[in-house]
Amino acid sequence: FWLLQLAGWGFYGLATFLTFLTSVEPEGWQGLFLFKAVIRPSAGIAVSSALALVLRVAETRGGAAVAMTAVLGSLIGAAAWYVTSRLLLVFSRGEPIPSLWPENPHGLWEFVFVMLAWSASFLGVRAWRRSRERERSVLEAEARATEARLGLLAAQLDPHFLFNALSSLRGLIRRDPERAEGVVTKLA
């Protein structure tokens, strides 16, 4: 979870930084980097980690509960992420706290989209892992069943082999008693 979480949010931070890089003069790059590549991904990690806990609980209830939790959790998570990012930006600059809710909600939609995509990815990876675990369990059960069938076949073959050996030994005793004695020694 954490490897994917850190890699995904790191990629998000780098991608958003590079996307906005052309719209800022070189002297503004440090502030842009701080906000786009550090603050927003850090807040995203915090919010998505909390959302992961909520989604894990919803998975125990199944189906519709998971879908509703993913959508509502993503919307609430996006709002929390937006507000957290704004607060962290304000505190990092030492500015007074402005209105946390946007006058133009256009920027908020990016947060909603990213959180919905994160939720879908999270649930998709968990479903894939469960599927792989079920496959592994089925393969292990098949291997145990094959092993049991082979053991049963071996148990059936052993008495048959012994019967044939004793039958051959009986014929050998009449014809060549000394050789029969050697065969008995080898069988023992």
Side-chain angles (χ1 to χ4, degrees), residues 61-121:
R61 294 187 171 90
V66 176
M68 278 184 24
T69 303
V71 171
L72 290 175
S74 294
L75 292 174
I76 293 167
W81 180 29
Y82 178 82
V83 169
T84 304
S85 296
R86 297 274 298 156
L87 283 174
L88 288 173
L89 178 65
V90 166
F91 291 139
S92 71
R93 291 181 176 170
E95 299 174 356
I97 298 175
S99 169
L100 295 176
W101 205 250
E103 294 170 15
N104 177 5
H106 172 72
L108 184 60
W109 288 112
E110 175 192 344
F111 289 84
V112 170
F113 174 76
V114 169
M115 290 310 295
L116 284 169
W118 184 91
S119 293
S121 299

Side-chain angles (χ1 to χ4, degrees), residues 5-186:
Q5 180 83 320
L6 293 173
W9 285 109
F11 177 76
Y12 169 81
L14 182 62
T16 56
F17 170 71
L18 294 175
T19 300
F20 288 95
L21 191 59
T22 58
S23 64
V24 176
E25 295 298 319
E27 59 272 0
W29 286 1
Q30 183 179 6
L32 178 70
F33 178 77
L34 179 67
F35 182 64
K36 298 289 185 183
V38 177
I39 292 176
R40 279 175 72 173
S42 298
I45 287 172
V47 170
S48 62
S49 295
L51 182 55
L53 296 174
V54 172
L55 289 173
R56 284 184 181 120
V57 171
E59 281 182 318
T60 62
R61 294 187 171 90
V66 176
M68 278 184 24
T69 303
V71 171
L72 290 175
S74 294
L75 292 174
I76 293 167
W81 180 29
Y82 178 82
V83 169
T84 304
S85 296
R86 297 274 298 156
L87 283 174
L88 288 173
L89 178 65
V90 166
F91 291 139
S92 71
R93 291 181 176 170
E95 299 174 356
I97 298 175
S99 169
L100 295 176
W101 205 250
E103 294 170 15
N104 177 5
H106 172 72
L108 184 60
W109 288 112
E110 175 192 344
F111 289 84
V112 170
F113 174 76
V114 169
M115 290 310 295
L116 284 169
W118 184 91
S119 293
S121 299
F122 175 79
L123 293 171
V125 166
R126 289 190 48 94
W128 175 76
R129 284 185 174 169
R130 279 191 306 274
S131 171
R132 297 283 296 181
E133 182 63 33
R134 279 191 300 271
E135 284 178 23
R136 190 173 60 80
S137 295
V138 166
L139 290 174
E140 287 175 356
E142 287 174 354
R144 285 192 302 272
T146 300
E147 192 174 309
R149 281 193 300 271
L150 287 174
L152 182 61
L153 185 58
Q156 290 171 350
L157 287 177
D158 285 343
H160 182 70
F161 170 77
L162 184 59
F163 175 76
N164 284 345
L166 290 174
S167 182
S168 297
L169 185 57
R170 190 175 100 194
L172 193 58
I173 288 173
R174 288 190 196 129
R175 284 181 306 202
D176 190 353
E178 286 181 27
R179 192 164 160 218
E181 192 175 314
V183 170
V184 169
T185 303
K186 285 181 183 178

